[in-house]
Amino acid sequence: MRVLVVEDERRLAQLLTRGLAEAGHDTEARHTGPDGLLAASAGRFDVVVLDVMLPGLDGVAVCRRLRQAGHRVPVLMLTARGEVPDRVAGLDAGADDYLTKPFSFDELLARLRALHRRTADAAAATLTAGDLTADPATRRVARGGTGIDVSAREFDILALLMTRAGQCVTRYQILDEVWDGETDLRSNVIDVYIATLRGKVDKPFGRHAIETLRGAGYRLRPDGG
C-alpha cells in the first residue's frame, strides 16, 4: 500500500512510517493539517492515517474537505480522545475508521489492510483468466459460464491469484492478505485450501490453472489453464 501518515507528533510519525515501511508499504509523512490535505488531495495514496489534533487545520476538517472535493481515499483517524462525540465527528466528516491512542501497531496494520481490501473490492472489475471469472462485487466464480460454489476464504485466495495472474504469489503474501497473518506459516492450511480450489475450478473442467512453484508459492496461469 501507499500510505500517507498525517501526524504532528514527529516521534510517533517516525515510528509509524518506519514500521509501515518494514511491513512493505510505501509511506510518507506530513505534520500539519494543510500539508496533509495537499498531499492527500494529490491522489497518490491508497490510504491515509490522519491524526485529529493537527496544527493549521484539524483532522476532522481535513477529512471533510477531502470528501467535499470528491476524494474517496480511505481515511483512518487517530485520536487521543475516546469520547463518543469525537469519534462521531470524524465519521460524520467522512472517515472510514478510527483508532484511539494508544493503539497496537498490529491492529493499525490489520485495519489498514481491511480498508484497502474493501476499497479495492468495491472498485474492482470482474477478474478473468481465460474462461475462469471471479466477480469481487458479487463474489461469484464461474468457469465457461458454469457457476462454481466457493467459500469466502477460497474466493479471497483465488481473487489474489487472479489479480496477480502469471506472477508468483508466496505463502507469506497469502497469509498476510487473506488471513491478516493470523495463522502459522508452517501450517498446511494454505495447501488444504489450494487443493480444495483445484478440486473446484480445475479438475472438474480438465484444467490446470493453479500451479505450485516449489519452495516459492503459487501461480495462476493467465490463460486459465
Side-chain angles (χ1 to χ4, degrees):
M1 289 180 288
R2 294 162 298 174
V3 184
L4 173 65
V5 174
V6 188
E7 168 60 66
D8 66 322
E9 295 180 35
R10 291 183 179 257
R11 176 170 170 72
L12 177 56
Q14 184 179 34
L15 289 172
L16 290 176
T17 53
R18 185 170 64 207
L20 288 165
E22 289 174 353
H25 306 298
D26 295 327
T27 311
E28 295 182 22
R30 300 292 187 274
H31 306 293
T32 69
D35 286 347
L37 177 60
L38 182 63
S41 299
R44 296 184 292 110
F45 297 97
D46 297 311
V47 65
V48 176
V49 178
L50 180 63
D51 188 30
V52 170
M53 303 300 293
L54 292 169
L57 196 66
D58 67 47
V60 173
V62 170
C63 188
R64 183 177 295 112
R65 293 191 186 186
L66 278 174
R67 299 307 186 227
Q68 288 172 345
H71 298 291
R72 306 313 306 166
V73 60
V75 173
L76 173 68
M77 299 203 75
L78 302 179
T79 175
R81 292 179 272 179
E83 292 85 354
V84 170
D86 295 313
R87 300 199 297 269
V88 170
L91 294 172
D92 282 347
D96 299 274
D97 200 357
Y98 68 88
L99 271 178
T100 302
K101 299 176 184 177
F103 53 85
S104 159
F105 184 72
D106 286 340
E107 182 179 4
L108 172 70
L109 279 176
R111 286 175 181 251
L112 292 179
R113 287 194 296 264
L115 284 177
H116 188 228
R117 279 199 306 272
R118 191 185 312 159
T119 305
D121 284 351
T126 299
L127 302 169
T128 61
D131 64 350
L132 179 64
T133 62
D135 186 346
T138 62
R139 299 183 73 82
R140 291 177 179 170
V141 177
R143 169 78 85 170
T146 301
I148 302 170
D149 290 329
V150 297
S151 69
R153 192 144 279 171
E154 288 166 355
F155 183 92
D156 290 339
I157 295 172
L158 180 63
L160 176 60
L161 292 172
M162 294 182 73
T163 300
R164 303 179 188 179
Q167 303 175 30
C168 174
V169 179
T170 67
R171 294 169 60 86
Y172 179 82
Q173 288 171 322
I174 295 174
L175 287 177
D176 186 52
E177 299 197 30
V178 177
W179 273 271
D180 284 340
E182 293 176 358
T183 191
D184 193 328
L185 189 62
R186 295 167 295 181
S187 169
N188 70 341
V189 65
I190 295 177
D191 304 309
V192 172
Y193 273 95
I194 291 290
T196 303
L197 267 177
R198 283 180 174 139
K200 293 182 177 183
V201 305
D202 277 349
K203 290 181 180 178
F205 303 91
R207 305 298 180 84
H208 302 280
I210 303 174
E211 301 175 329
T212 297
L213 305 178
R214 296 196 179 279
Y218 304 93
R219 179 176 58 206
L220 187 131
R221 292 175 55 178
D223 63 3

